[in-house]
């Protein structure tokens, strides 16, 4: 569903929000389409040799009455495919768990200690300024991705 300009995924049974699928700034001026994504292409012809349809066998075969679908966000400039997670959900799992964040903070502390003993810095604050971490879309150990956009386009929340 769309709430406050953001596309969110909700639990089917409780209708509780699961999380963000597409941020409001990514949806601004765009339309959303849900289309069949060609499940008929997964039909296997046993008369011919080859691996036809093997790319469709992911262990989560859909019942016959359910069609595979694609979620598309589009405007006149192009179409963005919203790819599902491995479990079939669409919400962006952009908050890392607390244990992972705690380990990251310990690594950063070790880097600060290293910087203080090996770099020309006079204080912990000065050492902290020399430390940089990388997490992909994550910008800090707070656990929240600051950008979910496509490379080259910056979307901040």
């Amino acid at each position: 569903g769309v709430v406050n300009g953001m596309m969110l995924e909700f639990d089917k049974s409780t209708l509780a929000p699961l999380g963000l699928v597409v941020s409001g700034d990514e949806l601004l001026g765009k339309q959303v389409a849900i289309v069949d994504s060609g499940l008929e292409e997964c039909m296997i012809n046993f008369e011919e040799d080859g691996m036809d349809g093997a790319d469709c066998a992911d262990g989560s075969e859909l019942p016959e009455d359910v069609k595979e679908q694609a979620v598309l966000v589009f405007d006149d400039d192009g179409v963005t495919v919203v790819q599902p997670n491995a479990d079939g959900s669409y919400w962006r799992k952009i908050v890392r768990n607390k244990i992972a964040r705690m380990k990251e903070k310990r690594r950063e502390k070790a880097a600060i200690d290293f910087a203080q003993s090996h770099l020309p810095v006079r204080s912990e604050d000065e050492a902290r300024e020399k430390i940089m971490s990388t997490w992909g879309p994550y910008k800090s150990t707070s656990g929240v991705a600051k950008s979910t956009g496509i490379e080259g386009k910056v979307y901040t929340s």
Side-chain angles (χ1 to χ4, degrees):
V2 177
V3 177
N4 295 331
M6 302 175 291
M7 184 188 304
L8 304 177
E9 183 169 3
F10 294 87
D11 182 81
K12 292 177 194 171
S13 60
T14 65
L15 299 181
L18 295 173
L20 177 70
V21 176
V22 181
S23 65
D25 54 345
E26 291 176 276
L27 280 178
L28 194 61
K30 298 199 167 92
Q31 298 179 59
V32 176
I34 300 173
V35 299
D36 290 341
S37 60
L39 193 60
E40 63 276 358
E41 294 171 5
C42 294
M43 300 301 280
I44 299 172
N45 182 351
F46 291 102
E47 305 284 322
E48 297 177 12
D49 291 336
M51 295 291 293
D52 293 340
D55 59 326
C56 300
D58 63 0
S60 63
E61 282 69 31
L62 300 170
E64 299 239 351
D65 60 338
V66 177
K67 294 200 181 270
E68 184 180 84
Q69 297 177 320
V71 177
L72 309 174
V73 177
F74 67 97
D75 62 10
D76 291 340
D77 295 326
V79 178
T80 300
V81 179
V82 180
Q83 298 288 358
N85 298 313
D87 65 2
S89 66
Y90 281 88
W91 64 282
R92 303 297 120 200
K93 298 181 179 182
I94 58 177
V95 178
R96 295 184 317 280
N97 76 35
K98 187 174 182 178
I99 293 171
R101 293 193 317 265
M102 288 171 47
K103 289 178 181 178
E104 291 165 355
K105 286 184 180 184
R106 285 195 300 265
R107 288 185 202 109
E108 285 183 352
K109 176 65 174 135
I112 290 168
D113 293 344
F114 177 86
Q116 284 183 295
S117 64
H118 289 82
L119 299 179
V121 296
R122 291 174 285 199
S123 68
E124 186 174 320
D125 288 338
E126 196 175 331
R128 185 174 280 117
E129 290 176 12
K130 300 280 185 185
I131 305 301
M132 184 185 89
S133 292
T134 179
W135 300 272
Y138 303 102
K139 303 293 184 199
S140 73
T141 55
S142 70
V144 179
K146 299 294 184 186
S147 172
T148 59
I150 301 165
E151 189 66 34
K153 295 183 180 179
V154 177
Y155 299 106
T156 57
S157 52

